[in-house]
Every structure is written in structure tokens, then in C-alpha cells.
Amino acid sequence: MRASISVLTLGVDDLERSLKFYRDGLGLPTEGIMGTEFEHGAVAFFDLQAGVKLAIWNRKDLSIEANVPLSPVSSSELTIGHNVGSKEEVDEVMEQAKRAGAAITVPTQDTLWGGYSGHFLDPDGHLWEVCWNPNWA
């Protein structure tokens, strides 16, 4: 397999609530919810960088599409990393997430690996890390 991830889809419990969090709270660009004309098809896409998209889709519909059982939410399965250019930018993004309704699980702090980061949960329990790594451009 050639590594080429283009869409990261998050299963959510309330599509409208998640749309507001990511669009209005975090400022991610989107055309809003589409696909409502299809059974189990309502989804919203957010443009990230270089053709990468974040999608939100109802967890129940995602389980039907993928033919997997609907499982309990687990915040410890995956972390979405958002790397920024400075410690100050980490603080700014974390504050933006907090204002948008995120639950801060780890406030911003210096890390043991020499960087600076904080963690938050989105309204559906998806874990994000906002960090600055002095070794990455």
C-alpha cells in the first residue's frame, strides 16, 4: 500500500453539533452537511491541507456503511495531531478549542520530548493533540 491518506472520518452522535464545533468553533472551512437525500448518507467535509479532508458522519450510519457493530465511544483509540509553528500558537488553538466547547484533558505544557502540547476532546470524545515540535519545520 502506498501511504496516501486523503480523508479522516470521525463518527459522531450529533452531526449538527459537530458541524458547529468544527466550522464555527474551530473555523474549519466546509460546505456544510450534504448527502441528506441518501439513507445513512448525511456527512460534512472540512478542508484541511493539500487535499486532505476531515469528515464527520453519524456513528450509526458509519457502522452500517462499514458493516461493523456500533461500539462504545473510546477516546483512547486514536489521537488526531495538529502541529503548529510555535508555543504561542499551541496556546491560541487550545483556547479556541475551549471556547468552542472542547474538554481540555491536558492543559498546554512543555513535554518530555522537548516540545509543547495540550490535549482536548471534541464533543464526541475524539482526542486531539495540539503541539509544537522544535525539530519539525
Side-chain angles (χ1 to χ4, degrees):
M1 179 173 107
R2 184 177 60 88
S4 179
I5 296 172
S6 56
V7 179
L8 176 63
T9 303
L10 301 178
V12 301
D13 290 321
D14 183 329
L15 200 55
E16 287 288 340
R17 178 187 67 190
S18 292
L19 175 67
K20 289 177 184 173
F21 177 79
Y22 285 105
R23 179 192 62 203
D24 304 338
L26 297 185
L28 299 182
T30 181
E31 294 181 20
I33 296 171
M34 57 184 64
T36 57
E37 68 273 22
F38 305 109
E39 183 178 15
H40 311 295
V43 62
F45 294 98
F46 302 89
D47 294 320
L48 300 179
Q49 78 282 342
V52 177
K53 295 191 181 293
L54 175 70
I56 54 173
W57 197 4
N58 185 287
R59 293 177 69 242
K60 291 177 185 174
D61 295 336
L62 180 58
S63 76
I64 290 168
E65 170 76 13
N67 193 29
V68 296
L70 186 61
S71 60
V73 174
S74 173
S75 299
S76 62
E77 300 295 323
L78 171 77
T79 299
I80 303 166
H82 178 57
N83 290 285
V84 297
S86 68
K87 287 183 174 185
E88 295 77 23
E89 195 173 352
V90 172
D91 291 333
E92 291 168 11
V93 172
M94 289 292 291
E95 182 57 34
Q96 182 180 17
K98 182 178 178 182
R99 285 192 313 269
I104 306 301
T105 62
V106 177
T108 55
Q109 62 185 354
D110 291 316
T111 65
L112 59 92
W113 45 267
Y116 187 75
S117 74
H119 288 79
F120 69 84
L121 294 172
D122 77 0
D124 288 280
H126 299 289
L127 184 61
W128 285 75
E129 178 186 23
V130 181
C131 67
W132 167 73
N133 184 331
N135 299 311
W136 289 3

